[in-house]
Amino acid sequence: MTNMTPASPTPAAKPKPRPRPQVMKLTEAAAQRITELTKRADSEIVGLRVGIKNGGCAGQSYTVEYAHEVRPTDEVVEDRGVKILVEPKAVLFLLGTEMDYKADKMQAQFIFNNPNQVSACGCGESVQLTAAKV
């Protein structure tokens, strides 16, 4: 008589999770400026926190501030030897953004080259963003 026991089922292979896209990347100029700011800070900081807030002519504006700690909900971006912490509500609006730094005779500022930016106001202080399509 033959053995009629059913073959044990093989466990289904778990699909590999899709790699998470890097929220932001930095230019060399931005990384150098962040390094300078980190060294000059009055207290110890872990990096810069980037986010967006509502307001301005076009409806939203970027925020950049010192980060003294990594919050559990922060998206941590490490690029070119520096750390950027992205606020959770800003992640979908900043996906694919390149952060640059420009300085000239009249001003110095971080520039956000954001593919999710729909428009900007004339004064350059605010933008209109849409969520990234993922």
Side-chain angles (χ1 to χ4, degrees):
M1 188 165 178
T2 60
N3 186 357
M4 300 298 284
T5 58
S8 60
T10 58
K14 290 184 181 180
K16 289 184 178 181
R18 139 179 106 140
R20 291 178 61 171
Q22 183 171 339
V23 176
M24 295 177 63
K25 62 182 178 178
L26 303 170
T27 64
E28 189 59 40
Q32 287 177 356
R33 182 61 178 160
I34 292 168
T35 300
E36 291 170 12
L37 290 171
T38 302
K39 289 178 181 175
R40 291 192 319 179
D42 294 337
S43 59
E44 188 174 331
I45 64 170
V46 295
L48 291 185
R49 181 167 282 109
V50 176
I52 56 171
K53 66 178 182 177
N54 293 333
C57 311
Q60 298 163 308
S61 58
Y62 298 103
T63 61
V64 179
E65 61 188 20
Y66 288 130
H68 298 282
E69 64 182 0
V70 178
R71 298 175 186 155
T73 55
D74 285 335
E75 180 76 25
V76 179
V77 175
E78 294 187 54
D79 192 17
R80 299 182 187 261
V82 297
K83 191 178 291 187
I84 298 291
L85 307 173
V86 180
E87 294 177 344
K89 70 177 185 175
V91 169
L92 280 176
F93 294 99
L94 295 176
L95 274 173
T97 297
E98 178 186 66
M99 186 175 175
D100 195 6
Y101 179 75
K102 301 273 186 199
D104 60 29
K105 291 180 182 181
M106 300 300 287
Q107 64 182 351
Q109 63 184 345
F110 286 108
I111 306 291
F112 294 88
N113 298 312
N114 187 340
N116 307 305
Q117 183 173 315
V118 178
S119 65
C121 67
C123 65
E125 293 295 319
S126 65
V127 293
Q128 182 181 7
L129 304 171
T130 61
K133 301 200 183 344
V134 288

